[in-house]
Amino acid sequence: MTEEKVRKRGWVKNAAIIFLSVMLVLTFFSNTIMNRSLPEVAAQYAQSGDITTRIRGTGTVEANEVYQVVFEQSRVVESVAVRVGDMVEAGDVLCYLADTDSAELKQAEDTLDNLNYQYQESVLNASQSDYARENRDIQMAKEALEQAIADRDAKVVTAEEIQAAEDALAMAKISVLNQTSIVASRQADVDEAQAALDALGGRTEGNDNSAAYAAMQAAQAALEDAKAALNTAKLRFQDKYDDLHQLAEDQKAAKEAVSGAPVYDVSIYMAALAAEYANDATLDDGQVYTRAEMAQAYEAITGAQATVDDCQIAYNQARTDYYDSADSGNAQQYDKLAAALRAAQADLNDAKAELTVKQEIQTNAENALTEINTRMTEYEAAVEMAKQKQVALEDKIFELQEQQKEDNRSAALHNLQINQLKDQIADAQAEVERLQSGSVDATVVSKVSGVVKSLGVSAGNTAEPGTPIATILVPDRGYAATITVTIDQAKKVTVGDSAEVTTGWYGGSEITAQLVAIRPDPTAPNQNRILVFDIGGEVEDGTQLSLSIGQKSRNYETVVPNSAVRSDANGNFVLIVVAKSSPLGNRYIATRVDVQVQETDDMNTAVSGGVGSGDFVITSSTRPLESGMQVRLAEG
């Protein structure tokens, strides 16, 4: 039994050992497989160092001075004394010309002679003509036109005037139609009141001879007279009264605008304005009323209204007294119907009177439109007359012009030709003198010392005007080369700085270059600058040079390779390797650190920010990286 238990325990122990061994092997290989799947990075420690900023570019050597031999006249070349590449001194013969005048000079002299002949001929053929009669007729036609224009302007009628007259007539017609409708309505009211009074069958049980009835009748007659007087005043003065009321409303509104609250009733302002007689008032419709006229309207209407109000009170009291007496019988109902009839009849009479006034206004508007149409007819006739006078004047002028063309066309043409010929002769003489002063001898010599760069003629050919027959480089004036850089690059150099020079086929150490000017680039003045260098040493025109110029080296606290600096929408940054311990060894994490670029050169960049000397900066990777990714370091 004891032996069997020992065997069982041994089996369990062996199984546990085997399981742990297998797990250890699998863990090791899984870690190795995972490391092989991670992106591999190369890294370098950030450290202090020097940054040397340099600007590079390629320029073509050009001579500072190029002398061209150019003729202004065509000349035949007999022989050429030099070849391209020859060194010539000032005074050396370049070519020999045929000893004849140029074709341009001969042509200019012939032109001058011909113009002088034409001028003399024109002077001899010139003649004079007198047009006094025609000028007198033209003057008379001008005066007739001026009179016609004055008559036309005196009768002028504008479209605005006609439109205003037509609008006034249209408004008057509408007013008459409306008033006619009102008269018909008032007539219906009268008929209705008469029918009601007739249906009553007359007054009964009333005592028309009583003192109370007589007082009521007298008060009623006085009221009717007062109303008639008020209607008459309104027919005469209502427009002026309304205008006075509008002026008072405007004055009241102006004062209320200042005070911010209502101040007085408008009638107070009307009374105040009516009391002033000094100034006239121009209304919105253009009508001008004197204050006296508006005061008269105010007094007439307000006085008549006050009389009506007083008579109405007296009548109301007399009627009450009568109806309260024992003599009234059914007089109250009868008198009410009779009063209604009288009121309706009065309204009808007022409406008819107002219709008469409005019909008169319509008649006046029709007459005014007829008058203005008559004026328009007269104005149109005056316009037509002015046109006829204008045509008559133009005909006179045209006849004179035709007369001059027919009778004296040659003389007029000669005068014009003489003036033209004078100018042409002066130009031709100046051209001859210019060509004579610009002519050259049969031998053409160089005025400078230098190297013949090109020849534009050969023996037996003609040198055309404006075409260089020879181009000579002047080495004594030196050579120059230019390169194009950005504005930011140009700010890093100064006139007087020296540049390193290399050529495409040999070192160029014996060639010197010094910055002598910084100019805007004509093709992109807002982006680029042109650096101009003075070139020294053994160079030739057309040589390609590589130029390098820059500031002196400067030490920075933190310098990283250019490939380590990255950027995105948030700015510049670097990825550094951060090691983290684990049971299976160190893990390496790519971690973002934001930086500011201070300076850069061909190899390195100086940065500041969260990175410092000693940080392990990633310079390259086998796959794109993001901050927080696990990486493996490149071996070696």
Side-chain angles (χ1 to χ4, degrees):
M1 179 67 76
T2 301
E3 186 178 352
E4 184 177 356
K5 289 181 179 181
V6 170
R7 283 199 300 269
K8 287 182 178 180
R9 290 176 180 173
W11 179 84
V12 172
K13 181 179 180 181
N14 291 336
I17 292 172
I18 292 172
F19 176 75
L20 293 174
S21 299
V22 171
M23 290 299 294
L24 180 62
V25 171
L26 290 176
T27 300
F28 173 77
F29 279 106
S30 65
N31 189 49
T32 302
I33 293 171
M34 183 184 70
N35 283 338
R36 289 298 178 184
S37 66
L38 296 176
E40 184 179 72
V41 300
Q44 181 177 323
Y45 286 106
Q47 57 188 355
S48 64
D50 294 337
I51 296 293
T52 302
T53 304
R54 301 199 67 80
I55 300 171
R56 291 176 172 83
T58 301
T60 302
V61 176
E62 296 179 353
N64 286 330
E65 183 175 331
V66 178
Y67 175 73
Q68 290 184 331
V69 181
V70 181
F71 289 166
E72 293 186 359
Q73 305 174 42
S74 59
R75 295 291 297 274
V76 176
V77 178
E78 291 188 343
S79 63
V80 181
V82 295
R83 292 181 296 178
V84 174
D86 287 354
M87 183 69 187
V88 296
E89 300 293 334
D92 288 352
V93 176
L94 299 177
C95 62
Y96 296 95
L97 306 176
D99 192 12
T100 59
D101 290 335
S102 67
E104 288 80 9
L105 178 58
K106 290 182 179 180
Q107 179 64 37
E109 290 173 343
D110 291 343
T111 300
L112 178 60
D113 292 341
N114 184 44
L115 289 173
N116 280 320
Y117 174 79
Q118 293 180 34
Y119 176 75
Q120 295 298 330
E121 183 180 29
S122 296
V123 170
L124 293 175
N125 292 332
S127 62
Q128 298 292 330
S129 299
D130 183 10
Y131 300 100
R133 182 177 60 82
E134 290 80 358
N135 289 328
R136 182 200 62 187
D137 294 341
I138 290 174
Q139 183 60 36
M140 293 176 64
K142 284 182 179 179
E143 293 174 356
L145 173 60
E146 291 171 356
Q147 182 60 48
I149 291 175
D151 293 342
R152 179 200 64 188
D153 294 343
K155 298 176 180 178
V156 64
V157 176
T158 65
E160 290 77 8
E161 290 180 285
I162 296 176
Q163 186 62 49
E166 291 175 347
D167 293 344
L169 177 57
M171 292 299 295
K173 289 181 177 180
I174 293 172
S175 181
V176 168
L177 289 175
N178 292 338
Q179 193 61 34
T180 301
S181 176
I182 292 173
V183 169
S185 177
R186 296 291 186 270
Q187 183 64 55
D189 293 342
V190 169
D191 295 341
E192 182 180 353
Q194 183 65 56
L197 186 61
D198 292 343
L200 186 60
R203 178 191 287 179
T204 61
E205 299 179 1
N207 183 5
D208 291 345
N209 296 321
S210 67
Y213 180 78
M216 182 184 70
Q217 290 295 94
Q220 183 178 4
L223 177 60
E224 295 299 329
D225 292 341
K227 287 183 177 180
L230 176 60
N231 290 334
T232 301
K234 287 183 177 180
L235 288 174
R236 293 184 58 192
F237 301 109
Q238 188 65 51
D239 290 342
K240 299 179 180 62
Y241 182 87
D242 291 342
D243 293 333
L244 179 63
H245 183 272
Q246 184 59 51
L247 291 174
E249 287 281 7
D250 294 342
Q251 189 177 90
K252 177 176 177 289
K255 291 189 177 181
E256 286 177 346
V258 175
S259 63
V263 286
Y264 297 109
D265 185 79
V266 71
S267 61
I268 298 176
Y269 289 90
M270 290 183 68
L273 288 172
E276 299 176 6
Y277 298 97
N279 299 317
D280 294 344
T282 301
L283 307 178
D284 292 339
D285 60 1
Q287 182 89 30
V288 178
Y289 294 131
T290 65
R291 292 290 176 88
E293 290 175 330
M294 287 190 287
Q296 182 184 17
Y298 177 78
E299 292 173 358
I301 292 179
T302 55
Q305 184 64 55
T307 302
V308 169
D309 294 342
D310 292 341
C311 290
Q312 184 69 52
I313 293 172
Y315 171 70
N316 292 340
Q317 184 60 47
R319 185 179 58 181
T320 299
D321 293 342
Y322 173 65
Y323 291 151
D324 290 343
S325 69
D327 298 325
S328 62
N330 72 340
Q332 182 174 0
Q333 183 179 5
Y334 180 86
D335 289 346
K336 285 183 179 180
L337 293 176
L341 176 60
R342 288 193 299 272
Q345 186 63 51
D347 290 342
L348 174 60
N349 293 337
D350 292 342
K352 289 181 177 180
E354 188 168 354
L355 175 60
T356 300
V357 173
K358 291 183 177 181
Q359 288 173 338
E360 182 179 353
I361 293 173
Q362 177 179 339
T363 301
N364 293 336
E366 291 172 346
N367 294 336
L369 181 59
T370 301
E371 179 184 358
I372 202 168
N373 285 332
T374 301
R375 287 174 52 203
M376 174 56 75
T377 302
E378 295 175 353
Y379 172 67
E380 291 173 347
V383 170
E384 182 62 28
M385 179 59 68
K387 290 181 180 178
Q388 293 177 5
K389 297 300 182 182
Q390 178 70 39
V391 172
L393 173 60
E394 292 174 355
D395 288 344
K396 292 294 182 182
I397 295 174
F398 179 76
E399 290 173 1
L400 175 59
Q401 292 173 344
E402 291 299 309
Q403 180 96 19
Q404 289 172 332
K405 290 179 182 178
E406 181 179 355
D407 296 342
N408 206 20
R409 180 173 55 185
S410 297
L413 181 60
H414 286 157
N415 290 334
L416 177 62
Q417 291 174 341
I418 287 173
N419 292 329
Q420 291 178 336
L421 287 172
K422 285 181 179 179
D423 295 337
Q424 293 174 2
I425 289 171
D427 294 341
Q429 183 64 46
E431 179 65 11
V432 169
E433 293 174 355
R434 186 185 68 83
L435 292 173
Q436 288 176 341
S437 63
S439 61
V440 296
D441 296 332
T443 301
V444 179
V445 298
S446 176
K447 294 183 179 180
V448 297
S449 298
V451 178
V452 178
K453 181 179 181 181
S454 64
L455 292 171
V457 294
S458 59
N461 293 328
T462 300
E464 298 297 333
T467 302
I469 66 170
T471 302
I472 300 174
L473 303 180
V474 185
D476 293 344
R477 300 294 185 180
Y479 294 90
T482 61
I483 61 173
T484 301
V485 299
T486 65
I487 290 180
D488 290 337
Q489 289 176 322
K491 292 178 179 178
K492 298 178 180 179
V493 297
T494 305
V495 173
D497 290 349
S498 296
E500 296 180 3
V501 181
T502 58
T503 63
W505 52 276
Y506 68 96
S509 59
E510 70 281 4
I511 302 175
T512 62
Q514 185 177 32
L515 182 62
V516 295
I518 302 175
R519 298 196 293 259
D521 184 356
T523 61
N526 295 326
Q527 291 83 31
N528 298 333
R529 293 290 184 266
I530 296 176
L531 304 185
V532 182
F533 296 90
D534 185 19
I535 307 299
E538 295 295 328
V539 293
E540 296 180 356
D541 187 78
T543 302
Q544 293 286 326
L545 299 180
S546 295
L547 302 172
S548 175
I549 184 173
Q551 298 175 338
K552 296 180 180 180
S553 298
R554 179 181 172 184
N555 185 267
Y556 292 89
E557 182 178 350
T558 305
V559 176
V560 298
N562 289 340
S563 59
V565 181
R566 308 162 188 259
S567 64
D568 59 13
N570 296 321
N572 297 319
F573 66 94
V574 298
L575 294 174
I576 64 174
V577 177
V578 178
K580 294 185 177 181
S581 300
S582 70
L584 299 178
N586 289 335
R587 292 189 301 162
Y588 300 100
I589 306 299
T591 304
R592 175 183 176 129
V593 178
D594 292 329
V595 297
Q596 293 79 43
V597 174
Q598 294 177 300
E599 195 56 84
T600 185
D601 62 12
D602 296 340
M603 301 293 295
N604 299 316
T605 298
V607 298
S608 63
V611 65
S613 298
D615 286 334
F616 209 35
V617 180
I618 296 176
T619 58
S620 64
S621 64
T622 57
R623 293 205 306 269
L625 298 179
E626 294 183 2
S627 181
M629 292 180 61
Q630 185 176 346
V631 299
R632 61 188 176 92
L633 299 178
E635 298 179 358

